[in-house]
Amino acid sequence: MDHSKMDHGSNDHSGHSPGHGQMGHDHHAMMIADFRKRFWVTLVLTIPILFFSPMIQDFLGYEFLLPGNQYILFALSSVVYFYGGWPFLKGFISEVKKGAPGMMTLIAMAISVAYFYSSATVFGLDGVDFFWELATLIAIMLVGHWIEMKSVLGASKALQLLVSMMPAEAHRVKGDNVEDIKLEDLLKDDIILVKPGEKVPADGIITEGTSYLNESMLTGESKPVKKELDDKVIGGSINGNSTLKVKVEHTGKDSYLNKVITMVEEAQKTKSKMQNLSDRAAKWLTYIALAIGFGTLAVWLILGFPFVYALERMVTVMVIACPHALGLAIPLVVAISTAVSAQNGLLIRNRTAFEESRKISALLFDKTGTLTKGDFGVTRIKSVNGSYSSEEILRLSSALEQSSEHPIAVGIIKKVKEGKVSIPKPENFNAITGKGVEANVEGKQIKVVSPGYLRDEKINIPEDAYSDAAETVVFVLIDNELAGYIALADEIRPESAEAIKVFKKNNIKVLMATGDNEKTAKAVSEKLGLDGYYAEVLPHQKVEIVQELQGKGEFVAMTGDGVNDAPALAQANVGIAVGSGTDVAAETADIILVNSNPQDIANLILFGKATYNKMIQNLIWATGYNVVAIPLAAGVLYSSGFVLGPAVGAVFMSLSTIIVAINAQLLKKKIGKK
């Protein structure tokens, strides 16, 4: 019953039916309805209990006692105790079985002591009953739990929204016919028809048509994205005003949306250092409260006070000390931060790394597609071998680049298509790690490589290769002889400068590691005002750079594409995979950014700080409240005439829980939609 730590993400998301993933949420909603019902029944019974209570009548100065008044109070209070208090009694049994006394133990002990002592006074024991305090305590605890659970459910709304994004059916194309099938019957390589305004049923590649798709709920990109032939589409995105035909790539568990859902669920379930801290604090607070509670009873009895008064003090201590707000402090912030992050294109795989993003002191960027747009355009093609024209060099090199998604390859293919040149077929294709690609084309061995490859092979780089410092140049070798080179320009993202200002404002060093040449790296570094750069770096060398920075005492965040940069991402204190698009399975990254925008990384760090601050605020409030309230409940100010009663204690206890819940909800305002 300790629902503040309930697993809200254990349901299976492998299918995509309309009821997809709803079972856990429905169960949670049923629990909320149960608490609401118990609260209203308890509240209705509490009113006559208060009215007929002699203590309340004395306090308000009226008298209205019915025959058998105490038995009426006993009967009404019994219903309140067993019906209204059942969730707490059940939770107490569960905690005892686990050998882990917690907040339910404290609540159950408080209401049980109150009920059984008051019942004993009805049947002959000397003393004054406090049925009215029992009833108000249970009512207030029920409403506190009800509000708390609604907050937790509210935090999962974004996840529910993701779950509900997939349509129930898909239009599968079979020859000239189109048939409507259930989503779970969709198979890889099926061709589906997506009509205007419809949700895309699965990840795939466009085989026919051009349209603008709304991917805002998936990637955080607010503007509709233009998609045309051979472009990838994500299941759950919304089609614009044109009809598309899509070849299915991923369905079910392999789909992008399902991976996002799974990632958010796992992040919400994962305990971080902060959550373990709050759990330990709650456990110790339980032991302390029990010790102080029984200690309070003993002290007041030793001082000669009536047993009923000493008992009341003990009950109040136990009510006040319930670490409910403490149990809610971290899990609710976790639920909200992971769900809101996912809506903004920040997918958290490692909660501890996310929380520790506030410590980042050095940020190592890859250049292409992150600080720059990654949208390369060919600016120059130069032949240095009279046997081959510049057009022929472009044509032969395009054979190697046609299946690559690297921005340089995309730029070369774009240039070839503009000239309507037919692309030859490559054979024996091979990637030269970190340096380029090679293949046999029309009987010739073709290599498209970086300047680093030329230096390693002792091949001279033409003097006029770098006419513009902002250009990226690749060299084309035919049968191991330099035939020419292709220069491409990549525009710096306008968001990069703003993001770097944010990093510097937060005292974070911004460095760049790129496989590009020295001139290009220097030009980008100077234009953006970076703190340093590393040029012509191979993927494995990025690990060494990260280690070098860590050796200097820096807390390093590494950004990379999650594939070639995997070792460096794993080595960094915080690994951030960027530019992953629909490939969200970057296993070595702690955090995945759906878009390649450096502004997202700035948002990530600021949101990580805001999340950590909310956790600290909630922990301080939850524990600080108890530090002040427990002594008051024990009666330390008795000589000053101040005594904190059980009912007032229950009000403050519930108020503490509500404040923690509201404070966590304010986290949503800390990150904005782009």
Side-chain angles (χ1 to χ4, degrees), residues 79-131:
V79 176
V80 168
Y81 174 72
F82 287 106
Y83 179 73
W86 175 244
F88 310 116
L89 299 173
K90 187 178 176 184
F92 163 66
I93 294 166
S94 176
E95 287 181 352
V96 169
K97 282 182 179 177
K98 292 176 184 175
M103 60 191 74
M104 291 297 175
T105 301
L106 287 172
I107 298 171
M109 287 189 67
I111 63 174
S112 297
V113 167
Y115 174 72
F116 288 111
Y117 173 76
S118 298
S119 299
T121 64
V122 172
F123 296 100
L125 181 72
D126 287 337
V128 181
D129 74 77
F130 44 103
F131 283 128

Side-chain angles (χ1 to χ4, degrees), residues 413-436:
I413 296 301
K414 183 179 176 183
K415 182 69 174 178
V416 169
K417 286 183 177 179
E418 285 172 2
K420 296 182 179 176
V421 176
S422 60
I423 301 172
K425 187 178 179 181
E427 295 176 350
N428 301 323
F429 180 88
N430 179 50
I432 308 168
T433 306
K435 294 179 182 178

Side-chain angles (χ1 to χ4, degrees), residues 370-387:
T370 307
L371 293 174
T372 61
K373 287 184 176 180
D375 185 13
F376 281 86
V378 174
T379 53
R380 293 181 298 131
I381 307 167
K382 180 72 181 289
S383 171
V384 297
N385 186 322
S387 302

Side-chain angles (χ1 to χ4, degrees), residues 27 220 247 254 354 516 668:
H27 170 68
K247 183 180 180 181
D254 296 324
F354 172 61
D516 226 326
K668 291 179 181 178

Side-chain angles (χ1 to χ4, degrees), residues 18 59 67 108 149 218 230 232 234 312 373 385 481 491 592:
F59 180 72
M149 292 180 74
L218 296 156
D230 295 334
K232 291 183 178 181
I234 305 172
E312 184 179 289
K373 287 184 176 180
N385 186 322
E481 287 189 12
E491 190 180 345
I592 297 169

Side-chain angles (χ1 to χ4, degrees), residues 167-437:
E169 293 184 333
H171 314 301
R172 183 164 61 188
V173 179
K174 285 282 188 181
D176 295 330
N177 299 319
V178 178
E179 56 181 2
D180 289 344
I181 61 167
K182 289 183 178 180
L183 214 59
E184 51 263 38
D185 296 333
L186 204 56
L187 302 173
K188 188 177 185 296
D189 296 330
D190 278 347
I191 302 295
I192 52 176
L193 190 71
V194 185
K195 297 175 183 177
E198 287 187 337
K199 292 175 182 176
V200 178
D203 298 351
I205 296 176
I206 295 174
T207 59
E208 188 179 310
T210 301
S211 187
Y212 283 86
L213 271 68
N214 184 345
E215 299 179 342
S216 59
M217 267 305 297
L218 296 156
T219 67
E221 177 57 65
S222 57
K223 296 177 184 176
V225 181
K226 187 178 181 181
K227 300 285 184 177
E228 45 197 2
L229 190 67
D230 295 334
D231 282 346
K232 291 183 178 181
V233 294
I234 305 172
S237 55
I238 302 170
N239 188 19
N241 55 8
S242 302
T243 300
L244 295 174
K245 281 187 180 177
V246 176
K247 183 180 180 181
V248 175
E249 272 198 323
H250 303 297
T251 61
K253 288 182 179 178
D254 296 324
S255 73
Y256 168 81
L257 181 60
N258 195 78
K259 286 176 181 176
V260 172
I261 291 166
T262 303
M263 211 170 285
V264 174
E265 285 179 332
E266 287 176 353
Q268 288 186 353
K269 286 190 289 182
T270 303
K271 285 193 176 183
S272 63
K273 289 179 181 177
M274 287 296 295
Q275 193 164 339
N276 287 328
L277 175 64
S278 75
D279 288 347
R280 288 197 302 273
K283 182 180 178 182
W284 278 106
L285 187 59
T286 300
Y287 293 136
I288 291 167
L290 288 170
I292 293 175
F294 285 107
T296 299
L297 177 69
V299 168
W300 284 106
L301 288 174
I302 291 168
L303 291 173
F305 282 79
F307 178 75
V308 66
Y309 185 84
L311 186 62
E312 184 179 289
R313 293 297 93 225
M314 184 186 82
V315 169
T316 308
V317 166
M318 290 187 173
V319 170
I320 288 285
C322 294
H324 212 207
L326 191 59
L328 180 66
I330 303 302
L332 186 54
V333 173
V334 167
I336 291 170
S337 66
T338 46
V340 174
S341 295
Q343 281 184 297
N344 286 269
L346 311 175
L347 306 180
I348 300 166
R349 293 185 67 248
N350 182 333
R351 284 224 47 85
T352 299
F354 172 61
E355 287 166 22
E356 291 191 336
S357 62
R358 73 188 190 283
K359 298 180 185 176
I360 293 170
S361 62
L363 185 54
L364 186 64
F365 271 105
D366 185 29
K367 176 182 75 72
T368 305
T370 307
L371 293 174
T372 61
K373 287 184 176 180
D375 185 13
F376 281 86
V378 174
T379 53
R380 293 181 298 131
I381 307 167
K382 180 72 181 289
S383 171
V384 297
N385 186 322
S387 302
Y388 303 99
S389 66
S390 58
E391 290 78 11
E392 182 68 0
I393 287 169
L394 179 67
R395 188 182 75 86
L396 291 171
S397 64
S398 70
L400 280 66
E401 307 289 11
Q402 61 183 322
S403 58
S404 172
E405 293 182 3
H406 191 281
I408 290 175
V410 172
I412 290 173
I413 296 301
K414 183 179 176 183
K415 182 69 174 178
V416 169
K417 286 183 177 179
E418 285 172 2
K420 296 182 179 176
V421 176
S422 60
I423 301 172
K425 187 178 179 181
E427 295 176 350
N428 301 323
F429 180 88
N430 179 50
I432 308 168
T433 306
K435 294 179 182 178
V437 288

